[in-house]
Amino acid sequence: MRITPTRALVLGALAFGTLAAAPLHAAERPAVLPDTMSQRLLACASCHAKKDVNDAYFPRISGKPAGYLYNQLLNFREGRRQYPLMTYMVDHLPDAYLHEIAAHFSAEHLPPPPPQATSSTPAVLARGRQLALQGDPALKVPACIACHGDKLTGVSPAIPGLAGLPRDYINAQFGAWRTKTRRTHAPDCMAVITERLSLEDVNAVSSWLGTQQVAPEARPAATIARPLPINCGSAPD
């Protein structure tokens, strides 16, 4: 039988299709990934759970109170916080799965990141320390430790830690509250505090917080004195 160019193409295609349909050997098959929360949340961990890194723009969420993490996922999903990548990640996730994500990262305790170097002057750092540990009664600004715990590691179930957060991230969050691109359930206590602080005070407290060393055994406090010094919708009495 004469093999024409057209027939050769047809036979070649049939042969290729037969080979393509043949089962792969075990060594050629793609690996089956484990169906675990750690595997599912690798995209989250790539920004928020880096080891030995204090990223300037992405907060580490390892060990933060589960209620706080869940509230933030809800805030992104429902538009109270504005960051397109986060909104895209959680837009179609149900509440139950957001609870699972929050519980996963809350139970994880990575080694604390190193404190950040700073070029701030001693006077600026002293002002930041004052605001964090004593507040400013003249401005009606409570101390950070009055809500975020005496070690600034947060309070379960819903108040986040501040120690170990990078200066630029803290600055960015104050800016978001000032421009109302970050909100929470009323009364929005951090929006109120932000309005009372000057830009210089924001820089001072964020600079001081960024220099603080976090102990490896640090965990959110179980309780805190109530009532809080300012009404806060995200952490009601």
Side-chain angles (χ1 to χ4, degrees):
M1 180 178 63
R2 179 170 175 268
I3 305 297
T4 65
T6 300
R7 184 181 292 273
L9 287 173
V10 171
L11 292 173
L14 290 173
F16 177 78
T18 301
L19 289 174
L24 295 175
H25 296 293
E28 299 172 323
R29 294 173 188 159
V32 177
L33 297 176
D35 186 16
T36 64
M37 288 301 290
S38 293
Q39 181 64 45
R40 295 181 192 178
L41 300 178
L42 282 178
C44 305
S46 65
C47 291
H48 293 290
K50 296 177 181 178
K51 295 182 179 179
D52 304 320
V53 173
N54 202 359
D55 193 287
Y57 300 106
F58 297 103
R60 296 183 74 184
I61 58 178
S62 169
K64 281 194 164 20
Y68 170 75
L69 295 177
Y70 172 72
N71 285 342
Q72 299 319 298
L73 292 170
L74 275 184
N75 287 343
F76 281 115
R77 194 186 70 185
E78 296 174 3
R80 288 183 291 271
R81 290 189 69 171
Q82 306 293 321
Y83 191 68
L85 180 58
M86 281 299 304
T87 302
Y88 173 80
M89 297 278 279
V90 302
D91 194 31
H92 300 292
L93 297 182
D95 290 358
Y97 197 60
L98 297 185
H99 274 295
E100 288 189 62
I101 294 172
H104 171 82
F105 283 110
S106 180
E108 183 180 69
H109 294 285
L110 298 179
Q116 289 184 303
T118 182
S119 60
S120 297
T121 66
V124 168
L125 294 176
R127 174 60 173 165
R129 184 179 188 277
Q130 176 196 350
L131 289 168
L133 304 184
Q134 302 169 23
D136 189 327
L139 297 177
K140 297 183 179 179
V141 171
C144 299
I145 62 172
C147 295
H148 294 275
D150 60 354
K151 298 184 184 302
L152 294 170
T153 54
V155 183
S156 295
I159 300 176
L162 302 179
L165 289 176
R167 180 185 68 88
D168 288 348
Y169 173 76
I170 297 173
N171 268 336
Q173 299 319 297
F174 274 113
W177 276 304
R178 195 176 296 275
T179 60
K180 304 190 186 311
T181 56
R182 178 172 181 172
R183 297 175 289 110
T184 190
H185 295 291
D188 192 341
C189 52
M190 281 306 303
V192 172
I193 290 171
T194 300
E195 290 177 355
R196 297 173 182 174
L197 291 173
S198 67
L199 294 179
E200 290 76 16
D201 280 344
V202 167
N203 176 62
V205 72
S206 62
S207 295
W208 185 83
L209 287 169
T211 65
Q212 299 310 293
Q213 177 66 61
V214 184
E217 68 278 7
R219 298 290 187 272
T223 60
I224 196 170
R226 298 282 187 167
L228 297 178
I230 183 170
N231 291 331
C232 202
S234 58
D237 291 334

